[in-house]
Amino acid sequence: MVRIREMTEADADAVAEIRVRGWRTAYTGLLPGGHLDALDAAEDAARRRERLAAGDARVADLVAESAEGDVVGWVCFGPCRDADQQADTAELYALYLRPERIGTGVGRSLCAAAVEGTRKRGYARMSLWVVRDNARARRFYERAGFAPDGAEDVYDADGTPVPEVRYVLDPLRTP
């Protein structure tokens, strides 16, 4: 169905477009429209190229590539950024697909690859943050074995507070 591989600088434009379209699809009605309209794929691609060129080996970016060679999804993970988490906790920073690929198994493949990647890096568990009212994403992560751990935070979307909840997969297992 898809091939999961490491992201390269050549994938930055496709990944940025996937991320921007993913945000606009997932967060319409949950984040202010102006915040979503201001997302710029070219700026996002430039930031991704810079980060890849800097070469932080602790952070992994994987893409899902279709049989035709098109990048159709992206996942990013690395060390957990939350001070209250154990050192053996990884974090799933982002997982986005081309909206037309939602429900096709690409997301499950990327999630499984991220879990396996963190396991290979020696992590025992994985966390992620999800917008509280994003029911589709919450169902997806729950089906993958993640569960809310009770932690909450607020994402500031241009002055609009957007509640988030933390999910944890403990211990790591293949979704």
Side-chain angles (χ1 to χ4, degrees), residues 66-123:
S66 71
E68 297 77 30
D70 298 321
V71 174
V72 296
W74 163 70
V75 67
C76 182
F77 58 94
C80 186
R81 299 171 288 186
D82 298 334
D84 69 333
Q85 292 297 292
Q86 304 162 12
D88 66 350
T89 303
E91 183 176 348
L92 180 65
Y93 304 135
L95 191 159
Y96 291 97
L97 314 175
R98 293 192 182 281
E100 61 274 12
R101 292 297 187 127
I102 293 171
T104 65
V106 174
R108 285 188 304 276
S109 295
L110 283 168
C111 189
V115 169
E116 182 59 25
T118 57
R119 184 182 295 112
K120 286 181 179 176
R121 292 166 183 248
Y123 292 102

Side-chain angles (χ1 to χ4, degrees), residues 108 111-112 115 125-128 137-149 166-175:
R108 285 188 304 276
C111 189
V115 169
R125 47 189 261 140
M126 182 179 238
S127 69
L128 61 90
R138 291 181 72 166
R139 282 191 308 272
F140 172 82
Y141 291 118
E142 287 167 6
R143 282 193 299 265
F146 288 83
D149 73 350
R166 185 171 59 201
Y167 274 60
V168 174
L169 180 61
D170 183 17
L172 285 179
R173 62 178 183 76
T174 303

Side-chain angles (χ1 to χ4, degrees), residues 4 9-10 13 15 25 27-28 36 45 48 51 56 62 65 86-87 95 104 107 111 151 156 158-159 172:
I4 308 296
E9 286 188 46
D13 290 325
V15 166
T25 299
Y27 303 128
T28 295
L36 297 174
R48 294 204 186 288
R51 194 175 57 71
D56 185 351
L62 305 175
E65 187 177 76
Q86 304 162 12
L95 191 159
T104 65
C111 189
D156 180 354
D158 300 329
L172 285 179

